[in-house]
Amino acid sequence: MKSKIYNPWFLAPLVLVYAALFLIPMIISFFFSMTIWTLTEFRFVGLYNFKTFFSEYSLRIGVKNTLLYAALTCGFKAIFGLALAVLLTSPMKTKNLIRSILFFPNLVSTIAVGMIFSSMMHPSRGLFNSLLGALGIAGPDWLGNASLALFSVIAVDVWKGVGVATVIYVAGLMAIPETYYEAASIDGAGGFQRFRMITLPLVQSSINTVIVLAFIGGIRTFDLIWTMTKGGPGFATDTMASIIYKQYAYGFYGLSTAGNVIMFLLIAAIVFPLYRFLISLEVDV
């Protein structure tokens, strides 16, 4: 059968749109990251902004917090989501209701979620500490303690995002042919063996999707942190996105643009090798 070759000019509109919305802004960002600029003029300073970003503690801590935030939210969503998906694909009368409840937080605005949890985590009037107080336990300052604040925000992020991970896993689990489990049962395989030898390998593509999406989302996170802590107390919960926003607000446009470039390179340097590694773990059905 003769294959049909379309005229390459059909791609021209797509290439123009891609260049206008992605390539040109990216090139301009790389240039202005090496300048000190206002809205009307600029001065070329080479790599000065990048050196400043890594030499100032208030800026450097954002890189550390961002990586910690991305790794923990990604790990917890991947593990909890898989556990919930396995539970919700087992024979349960209320599994559809539970799936809806789990996915509901993802439908709520992140700003609203942040405001609600900030209220519930208030050290003296919050719901969490009131419940702990009823049990005779003195609750911590969830968002005011510099050692605890970042983990409090991470817990809220996992609560909000685990529903999406669960839905992705459920789709992957339902695509596994039931005959595999029947054959394993006939061979005497137990529940854990069926999970390790059949479920895990065949749901690997879903695991890959969850890990990559959750990791990128964790690196780019801003709205939840800004709503709950604004990067505080001090710089304890500052991530790269919140630092970049602050630098823009203070008028350090070159420095904040350098932060955007660093975030872009960080995502590319981690996600591409990670994705290739995860793909190598997939098996053919």
Side-chain angles (χ1 to χ4, degrees):
M1 182 176 176
K2 186 177 180 181
S3 60
K4 188 173 183 179
I5 300 175
Y6 290 96
N7 191 321
W9 284 105
F10 279 124
L11 295 175
L14 179 63
V15 171
L16 287 175
V17 170
Y18 183 77
L21 297 181
F22 295 100
L23 288 182
I24 294 175
M26 187 184 301
I27 294 170
I28 292 174
S29 295
F30 272 99
F31 173 75
F32 278 107
S33 69
M34 293 185 284
T35 66
I36 293 176
W37 60 287
T38 64
L39 297 178
T40 55
E41 57 186 13
F42 65 85
R43 178 165 57 90
F44 188 78
V45 294
L47 299 177
Y48 174 78
N49 288 328
F50 294 93
K51 293 177 182 175
T52 302
F53 209 97
F54 287 108
S55 61
E56 293 284 340
Y57 173 76
S58 59
L59 304 176
R60 191 172 63 242
I61 192 174
V63 179
K64 173 193 166 190
N65 286 344
T66 299
L67 293 175
L68 181 63
Y69 189 100
L72 290 182
T73 54
C74 171
F76 283 126
K77 287 175 186 176
I79 294 171
F80 291 158
L82 180 58
L84 289 168
V86 171
L87 176 67
L88 294 177
T89 50
S90 62
M92 289 177 62
K93 290 184 179 179
T94 58
K95 60 184 178 184
N96 290 329
L97 174 63
I98 298 176
R99 286 177 190 174
S100 303
I101 294 173
L102 278 174
F103 192 73
F104 176 75
N106 199 59
L107 303 178
V108 182
S109 160
T110 304
I111 303 297
V113 170
M115 293 173 67
I116 291 170
F117 273 90
S118 295
S119 174
M120 291 196 298
M121 290 179 174
H122 191 279
S124 59
R125 303 189 301 273
L127 176 63
F128 292 164
N129 282 359
S130 297
L131 293 175
L132 290 174
L135 298 174
I137 301 172
D141 189 351
W142 300 95
L143 301 176
N145 185 327
S147 301
L148 183 63
L150 184 63
F151 297 101
S152 300
V153 181
I154 287 172
V156 177
D157 191 315
V158 172
W159 173 83
K160 186 178 187 305
V162 74
V164 176
T166 304
V167 169
I168 294 172
Y169 282 133
V170 167
L173 289 171
M174 294 180 70
I176 299 175
E178 193 63 29
T179 52
Y180 291 1
Y181 293 107
E182 293 171 356
S185 297
I186 292 172
D187 290 340
F192 179 73
Q193 287 176 309
R194 292 199 298 272
F195 174 77
R196 188 169 67 87
M197 304 302 295
I198 298 175
T199 303
L200 269 185
L202 297 185
V203 83
Q204 185 63 46
S205 60
S206 299
I207 295 175
N208 298 350
T209 302
V210 169
I211 289 176
V212 171
L213 291 179
F215 195 83
I216 293 176
I219 288 180
R220 295 170 60 247
T221 189
F222 169 75
D223 41 8
L224 188 60
I225 283 181
W226 193 254
T227 305
M228 295 185 70
T229 64
K230 289 186 168 54
F235 308 110
T237 60
D238 257 331
T239 60
M240 292 191 67
S242 65
I243 286 174
I244 290 167
Y245 175 80
K246 288 178 181 177
Q247 299 308 315
Y248 269 123
Y250 296 152
F252 299 115
Y253 301 125
L255 186 61
S256 53
T257 307
N260 275 320
V261 172
I262 292 170
M263 187 189 295
F264 169 76
L265 296 176
L266 191 65
I267 292 175
I270 295 176
V271 172
F272 284 124
L274 175 65
Y275 183 72
R276 289 179 64 87
F277 169 73
L278 293 173
I279 287 293
S280 70
L281 300 179
E282 292 187 10
V283 296
D284 295 327
V285 180

